[in-house]
Amino acid sequence: MAYMGRDWFGRALPIVAALLSLTMAGIAQQGPTDVHGKRVDPLAAKGKPVVLLFLSTECPISNRYAPTIQQLAKKYGEQADFWLVYPGTQDSPQAIANKLHDYGYELPWLRDPDHALVAKAQATITPEAAVFDGKGDLQYHGRIDDLYESISRSRRAATVHDLNDAVQAVISGAPVLVHSAPAVGCYITDMR
């Protein structure tokens, strides 16, 4: 076997880097998928505000927000599109379907294991919300409300309703006063 020396490694490194870059670009282009594995971009259709709610089947705080999320979707559903987004690779379509059934959700949902929507929404926690205006510009991201002071401490009732306020402002064309509020919950895993 011939000795390749250090020159071989120096010539191979750019090729390996180019292949890795192409592979990563292909992964990033996969995007969120629906229950059937079909690629869906909830932000593609312009004109109507879009609300993304990042959840996890295993996060108890995500699960506790089911009634609040459903109330907001019912209240604003005709003026804005609401989507449940499951960014974790551990959330299988069956686990998501089971959780949706358990909590009575009737909202469309997506898996986002490649974190395409996570990046656009600047999400890091479940539950976390993002509100995009009709042009697709991010207007708000963060907590749903201030029910949780910390991971182990909640109030009896929320006193600040960040998501409601942001959705209401975007729908009415008013400025969003708070663009970001720190969420409390479970970290989105496999962040890149």
Side-chain angles (χ1 to χ4, degrees), residues 76-157:
Y76 297 114
E78 291 188 22
Q79 297 111 336
D81 291 332
F82 282 72
W83 291 83
L84 305 178
V85 180
Y86 290 85
T89 55
Q90 76 281 3
D91 289 327
S92 70
Q94 188 59 52
I96 295 168
N98 291 343
K99 194 61 68 172
L100 297 176
H101 177 266
D102 292 347
Y103 288 94
Y105 275 116
E106 294 182 8
L107 297 172
W109 62 271
L110 299 169
R111 289 186 72 231
D112 186 33
D114 299 324
H115 299 155
L117 294 175
V118 166
K120 288 179 182 178
Q122 301 173 21
T124 57
I125 300 285
T126 63
E128 190 166 351
V131 180
F132 294 84
D133 64 20
K135 296 180 285 186
D137 295 327
L138 180 63
Q139 296 298 316
Y140 172 79
H141 71 93
R143 67 187 182 190
I144 295 168
D145 58 31
D146 70 343
L147 180 64
Y148 279 87
E149 297 177 64
S150 69
I151 195 82
S152 61
R153 188 170 173 200
S154 65
R155 294 176 168 86
R156 288 181 185 253

Side-chain angles (χ1 to χ4, degrees), residues 30-40 109-114:
Q30 289 177 0
T33 56
D34 66 10
V35 65
H36 305 291
K38 179 182 172 193
R39 190 177 186 287
V40 176
W109 62 271
L110 299 169
R111 289 186 72 231
D112 186 33
D114 299 324

